[in-house]
Amino acid sequence: AHVSKIKSMLSATHKSVFDAEEMSAYLDISPRSARRILQSLENSGHAQVAALKSKSTTGRPRRVYELKL
């Protein structure tokens, strides 16, 4: 169900790199659900971590994924 929404997100935004927060806002789901979907896509080979971004010096950096659908 989410694959078709993700494909429409890719075509609507004309980009293939997203983080969990961007995906959650577009798909209207929680950031945790978006992270689970992105992790599942990474495990199946349909996404890979493109970068790690950090807004501050503490905490874990955010993963930015490149989607290959």
Side-chain angles (χ1 to χ4, degrees):
H2 290 293
V3 174
S4 62
K5 290 181 181 179
I6 292 170
K7 284 184 179 181
S8 68
M9 174 182 71
L10 292 171
S11 64
T13 60
H14 302 293
K15 64 179 195 171
S16 63
V17 178
F18 294 92
D19 64 10
E21 287 75 21
E22 290 174 309
M23 182 178 276
S24 69
Y26 189 86
L27 298 179
D28 197 28
I29 58 176
S30 71
R32 177 68 183 122
S33 293
R35 280 191 291 277
R36 285 184 185 135
I37 292 168
L38 287 167
Q39 184 67 46
S40 175
L41 288 171
E42 182 184 18
N43 290 340
S44 66
H46 292 90
Q48 72 178 25
V49 176
L52 298 174
K53 289 187 179 179
S54 183
K55 290 184 178 179
S56 67
T57 58
T58 59
R60 292 183 181 159
R62 294 183 315 164
R63 292 176 180 226
V64 179
Y65 291 88
E66 181 179 358
L67 302 178
K68 301 174 182 180
L69 294 175

